[in-house]
Each structure stands twice: as C-alpha cells, then as structure tokens.
Amino acid sequence: MRNHIKAVFSVFALCVVFGLSGATNASGQVIDTILKRMDDHNKGLSSLRANVTMTKVNAQLGNVVDTTEGALIYAPRRNSDPNIRIDWKRPEETFAVANGTYIILRPRLNQYITGNTKDAKGKGTAGGALAFMNMSRKELRENYTVEYLGEAKVKGGVDTWHLRMTPKKPSTYTLAEVWVDVNGMPIQTKVTEKNNDSTTVYLSGIQKNVRIEAASFKVTIPRGAKEVKG
C-alpha cells in the first residue's frame, strides 16, 4: 500500500514547480487515479461477503451514538441496483434488496416493511452507503464533486485514500466521505444528512467473488408478521 500511496502523493510534487494551477491539476490527477482504481475494482467484483459495522450519530439528540454489527452479502447486477442482504445482530433485523425490491424484517416487532427501491428514501441507510461500490468512474464524476482529503488509516490499521463526495444534484444528504483501500474498494463510508446526523458503515473480514446463491437474498416472512407501509 505504501508504494501505491507514495506514487499518488508524488503527483503533488508538481505543486512546488507550477504553483496553484499545478496544485489543482495534481489534485485532479490523484482523484482520477483513485476513481480509476475504484472503477476497475467495481468491474472485477462479482460478489462479496463481509462483516459490517454501522455507527449512527444523532446530532439532534446531542450526538448520541448507536452502533450495530451484522453480516453482509452483496452481488452487483449489470445496469441495475445490486442485490444486498444485511443480517443485523442487535437488535435482530434483516435488510435486503433483491431485483429492485427492498424489505426490512423486524422479528422482535413481528413486522416487515417492503417496497420498490426507488421509493425507499433512505430506509436502507447501510445499503445506500454501499452504493459507491456499484458506481463507475463516470457516474461518480457526473453525480459528485470529488475532493481528495489525503491518506488515512481506518479501523484495524488499514491504509486508505480518503475522499469527500458532495452531491451535485438535490439529495437526502449533504456529503459523503469514502475511504478506499489499495485495491480500489470502499471499505468505509460516512454519509452526513442535512440535519447533521451521520451514518458510518465499515466492512471487515472481506471475501470477494465467492459463490452466493440467488436464494440467499430472499427473506422469509414469519407467519403472522404484520406489513407496515414504507
């Protein structure tokens, strides 16, 4: 990782010679390098298993922190939303997206929420954070103003490149931060909403391109569970 990081940072040496204009161009080259690596990773990813940790900070309640952990399976689909399933441990809850439909199953309440992913409006916060794995370099450039914030270590001491993504179009959140590893994979994402609440999703124990049956994304609704409108 260090060699790759040094290669990226070497571009900034141009700043000394060419001044502010050179700095702007250098930063653009660094971002292009990282986005290309993300694009290449995206194209080579057929499936994913990982542990997932989601930390929510509620700014409205004085920065109250809520952390939960679970297991993730993920399978991209060409020209469509990926299939996703996250089984959370505490509280027990399942969030899944399959073939354009989302479902949130809450066994402790004996209820579930389901609907079209286009109408989800942030219900699958973790799933939304994972969206950066499914975007091409072109899509990222078209939809976000991308800034390079430098090298950073995330949980577990993993070296990453830290990017800030500001939506160019109206969105439910004001900005997203993405931490990308040397392979071009976003292993941590933080989304900050308009009210300053934030959600950080971190992936660990990653297994790529493993066999995942399509049936794994299907959520079985318990008998008697009540449907709640999304």
Side-chain angles (χ1 to χ4, degrees), residues 26-90:
S27 178
Q29 290 178 45
V30 171
I31 292 170
D32 281 341
T33 298
I34 298 171
L35 295 187
K36 182 181 185 305
R37 191 157 295 182
M38 291 175 69
D39 198 12
D40 291 342
H41 177 272
N42 174 22
K43 291 174 181 176
L45 186 67
S46 62
S47 67
L48 177 75
R49 286 185 183 273
N51 301 320
V52 56
T53 301
M54 181 170 67
T55 302
K56 291 188 174 184
V57 178
N58 191 321
Q60 311 308 303
L61 298 177
N63 293 328
V64 173
V65 179
D66 180 33
T67 299
T68 185
E69 298 179 344
L72 160 77
I73 55 175
Y74 171 94
R77 297 191 302 150
R78 187 178 297 276
N79 300 322
S80 188
D81 292 331
N83 288 343
I84 301 170
R85 176 169 176 159
I86 305 176
D87 291 298
W88 299 110
K89 297 177 182 177
R90 292 184 299 272

Side-chain angles (χ1 to χ4, degrees), residues 54 68-73 84-97 102-108 111-114 123-124 126 215-222:
M54 181 170 67
T68 185
E69 298 179 344
L72 160 77
I73 55 175
I84 301 170
R85 176 169 176 159
I86 305 176
D87 291 298
W88 299 110
K89 297 177 182 177
R90 292 184 299 272
E92 184 182 356
E93 184 172 299
T94 295
F95 166 71
V97 174
Y102 76 88
I103 184 168
I104 302 173
L105 175 63
R106 294 170 174 158
R108 69 193 186 282
Q111 65 178 217
Y112 66 97
I113 304 169
T114 188
K123 294 183 176 63
S216 300
F217 296 97
K218 181 177 175 58
V219 178
T220 302
I221 305 299

